[in-house]
Amino acid sequence: MGTATKTQLATGESVVGAVTSRTVLGVTAATVVLAVACLMQWVAPGGAVVGIPVATLLGGGLAVAGCGIAVLGAGSRLGYIETTPSRATSLAAGCVVGMLWAVSGGVATTVAVGGGDAWLPVAVVGGVAGALATVLPREDAGATLPAAVVIVGWGGAIAASGGGGGWTWAPAWSSAVFPGTEIVPVVAVGGALLAAWSGASAHAGFGAEGRQAGAYALVGAVVVGTLSVLVLLVGFVVSKGITPVLTGASLTGGTLGLPFVDAAVPWPTLPFVTNQTGGLYVTIPGVFPALVGTLWLVFGAIVAAVPLGIGAAVFLTEYAERGRFTQLVEVATNGLWSTPSIVFGLFGLAFLVPRLSGGNSILVGQLVLGCMLLPLVLLTCREALLAVPDAHRDASAALGVTKWQTIRSVVVPAAMPGTITGVILGVGRIAGETAPLLLVFGGAPYPSNTPDVLGSFSLMAQPPFVTNDALLAPASALPYQLYTTITAGVFPKDEFTTAAFGWGTALVLLAVVIGLYAVGIASRRYFRRKLHHE
C-alpha cells in the first residue's frame, strides 16, 4: 500500500513538473516569435495584437516564463517535483547569469539616478551576487531562481516601457541612436533565450540530461534566429524590388509561336527581366543584358574551375603520396580560398588582360571567377573523395578492373554529391562578386544589346583557329550594374528612379543566385539517388 501511494505521488509530481516546464517553453516560444515579428517590423512594438498591447504581451510572457522557472526550481529543491540535479551549476552558467545581473543592476541604477558613476559599484555587486547565487546552490535552485529574477525583472521593465516608443538610447561610445522600439524586442529575445535554456534544463530533470537539453534549446534558438535574419533579408529585398520588377508585367501580354504550326498562344511578359537596359525604343528598361552577362560569367567559371578542381583532387587523393607536397597544396588552397576577391581582380588586370584581350572582357572575367571558384571545388572534392570507404575501392579491384576504372566508375560518382555541394557554395559567392568585375570585366553599365557569345564564334587558318569577338569584349553583369547604379546615382530612364531600378536589379540578382542554388541542389539529389539506386 505504501509503495502504491508513493508511486502515485511521484507520478503526480512528474505531471506537475512536466506541465509547468512545457508551459514555460510554450510561452517562451510565443514570446520569441512576437519579438522577432517586432524586429522585422511586421508588428509595431507600440501597437496591439488581438486588442492587447504588444509590450504587455512581451513583458507578460517573460514574467510568466520567469515565474514558471522559479516554481520548477523551488519545487525541485523542496522535493515536490522529482528531478536528478547535480550538486552545483556550471561555472559558465554562473558567469552568464552574473553578467546579466550586472547589466540589469547598472541599467536600473542609471535610470533611477539619471546618470553619473553610481551604476558601476551596483553593477559589480550585482554581478558577483548573481554569479554566486547561481554557482553555490544545488543545480535545481542555481539554474532557475537567479535566472528567474532577471527574466521577471526584464518582463516588468518591458511591460512598463509601453513598447519603447517614447525613449532612445544614445551611448557615449557611438554616434548612433538606438530607438526603444528596437531595444525592447532585443531584450525580449534575450530574456526568452535565458528562459528557454533554464526551462529546457528543468524539463529534462537537470543533471547531464538537463544540461544537454538546455544546450539543444539554445542551439535551436540560434538556428531560428539565423533563419529569421535570412527571411528578413530576402523579404526586405522582395518588398523593395517587387514593384519595379512587375512594372508592365502581364500574364497574357506576349505571344509564343508554336513550332510546325502557323499559330501563336498568349505568353506571360516581364519587361524588367526581358528588356534591354538602354536604347531609344525601350519604354520599360530591363536588366536582360546584365542577366545574360552574369550567366555567361558563371558558366565560364564553372567550365574553367570544376574539371580542373576535380582532376587535382583525384590526383592528390588517389595517386599522390601523403607528404610535404600534399600538405603544401592544402595550405596553398586554403590560402587561396580566403584571399580577398579584389586580389584576384588585380591578378586578372595585371596578368590576363594584357595577354588575352587587351582590355576588359567576358573571357577574363570568367577566368578570374574560375580562379576564385577553383580552391573550394578542390577542397570539397578532396574531402568527398576521402570520405568514400576503402571497401568500395577494394571491391572494385577484386573484380580485376584497373585503378583508373575504379576511380572513374566508383570513387568519383560516390563523391559527386559532396563535390556539387562545394560547387553550389562557390557559385553563390562568385555570382554576386563585384570587385574583380570592376577591374577586368565591366563595360557600359546600361548596355543596349546582349552579348552574342554563341553567334560570335568564327574559324581562322592560324592559331588559335577559333575566335570570338563577344568573349573578348566587355559587358555588364547584375552585380556590376547594381554597383554602378548605386554609386552613379543617376539612372538614364524616367520610368524608374535610381533607387527603384537598383532594388529591382538586386531582386533579380537574388533570384538568379537562388535559381543556381536550386539547380545545384537538384543535381546533388540526382547523384545521391543514383548512388543509392533509388
Side-chain angles (χ1 to χ4, degrees), residues 60-229:
L62 291 182
V64 170
C67 292
I69 291 171
V71 169
L72 291 172
S76 173
R77 188 66 183 87
L78 297 176
Y80 294 111
I81 299 176
E82 185 179 4
T83 57
T84 56
S86 300
R87 189 171 62 179
T89 312
S90 66
L91 183 60
C95 293
V96 172
V97 175
M99 182 178 63
L100 295 179
W101 273 48
V103 172
S104 302
V107 171
T109 303
T110 301
V111 172
V113 176
D117 298 330
W119 64 271
L120 183 57
V122 175
V124 173
V125 173
V128 173
L132 294 178
T134 303
V135 175
L136 294 181
R138 203 173 69 173
E139 184 186 17
D140 49 4
T144 55
L145 298 180
V149 172
V150 174
I151 296 169
V152 172
W154 287 4
I158 290 175
S161 69
W167 55 275
T168 58
W169 178 41
W173 46 266
S174 174
S175 60
V177 177
F178 301 93
T181 54
E182 295 180 359
I183 297 176
V184 165
V186 172
V187 172
V189 170
L193 291 178
L194 182 61
W197 165 74
S198 185
S201 179
H203 180 68
F206 302 104
E209 294 184 0
R211 289 189 291 272
Q212 183 179 14
Y216 283 168
L218 289 180
V219 171
V222 170
V223 171
V224 172
T226 303
L227 294 178
S228 300
V229 172

Side-chain angles (χ1 to χ4, degrees), residues 40-72:
M40 294 184 177
Q41 301 179 356
W42 296 339
V43 178
V49 176
V50 296
I52 304 176
V54 172
T56 302
L57 292 175
L58 291 175
L62 291 182
V64 170
C67 292
I69 291 171
V71 169
L72 291 172

Side-chain angles (χ1 to χ4, degrees), residues 316 328-338 374-376 378-379:
L316 293 173
L328 180 61
V329 172
E330 290 178 0
V331 172
T333 305
N334 288 319
L336 284 175
W337 174 239
S338 59
L374 178 60
L376 184 61
L378 175 56
L379 290 172

Side-chain angles (χ1 to χ4, degrees), residues 395-469:
S396 179
L399 297 176
V401 299
T402 63
K403 184 174 184 177
W404 168 242
Q405 290 174 328
T406 299
I407 295 172
R408 183 189 62 188
S409 304
V410 177
V411 179
V412 172
M416 194 57 66
T419 303
I420 293 178
T421 300
V423 175
I424 294 173
L425 296 175
V427 166
R429 177 188 176 185
I430 65 173
E433 281 294 342
T434 306
L437 301 185
L438 295 175
L439 299 177
V440 301
F441 172 78
Y446 306 113
S448 58
N449 57 352
T450 302
D452 185 18
V453 175
L454 292 179
S456 299
F457 283 100
S458 60
L459 301 178
M460 56 189 308
Q462 57 186 0
F465 304 109
V466 179
T467 61
N468 191 309
D469 295 335

Side-chain angles (χ1 to χ4, degrees), residues 239-443:
S239 64
K240 292 289 187 178
I242 192 65
T243 300
V245 168
L246 294 182
T247 300
S250 174
L251 294 176
T252 58
T255 57
L256 177 65
L258 298 178
F260 310 110
V261 179
D262 188 14
V265 295
W267 189 255
T269 58
L270 196 61
F272 189 87
V273 178
T274 58
N275 282 1
Q276 310 291 337
T277 309
L280 296 176
Y281 303 102
V282 177
T283 57
I284 300 178
V287 296
F288 188 68
L291 174 61
V292 174
T294 301
L295 295 179
W296 275 118
L297 280 176
V298 173
F299 175 77
I302 292 175
V303 170
V306 172
L308 186 59
I310 294 177
V314 169
F315 172 76
L316 293 173
T317 306
E318 304 296 329
Y319 291 100
E321 296 265 344
R322 178 70 180 178
R324 293 187 179 275
F325 173 73
T326 56
Q327 293 176 356
L328 180 61
V329 172
E330 290 178 0
V331 172
T333 305
N334 288 319
L336 284 175
W337 174 239
S338 59
T339 300
S341 59
I342 190 65
V343 176
F344 287 95
L346 291 173
F347 162 75
L349 179 64
F351 184 79
L352 297 178
V353 167
R355 291 166 173 80
L356 295 179
S357 60
N360 292 357
S361 65
I362 297 176
L363 178 61
V364 177
Q366 290 173 337
L367 294 178
V368 169
L369 295 185
C371 292
M372 294 177 58
L373 179 61
L374 178 60
L376 184 61
V377 175
L378 175 56
L379 290 172
T380 54
C381 183
R382 189 171 182 219
E383 292 297 327
L385 291 172
L386 291 174
V388 177
D390 290 336
H392 289 32
R393 299 176 176 85
D394 297 338
S396 179
L399 297 176
V401 299
T402 63
K403 184 174 184 177
W404 168 242
Q405 290 174 328
T406 299
I407 295 172
R408 183 189 62 188
S409 304
V410 177
V411 179
V412 172
M416 194 57 66
T419 303
I420 293 178
T421 300
V423 175
I424 294 173
L425 296 175
V427 166
R429 177 188 176 185
I430 65 173
E433 281 294 342
T434 306
L437 301 185
L438 295 175
L439 299 177
V440 301
F441 172 78

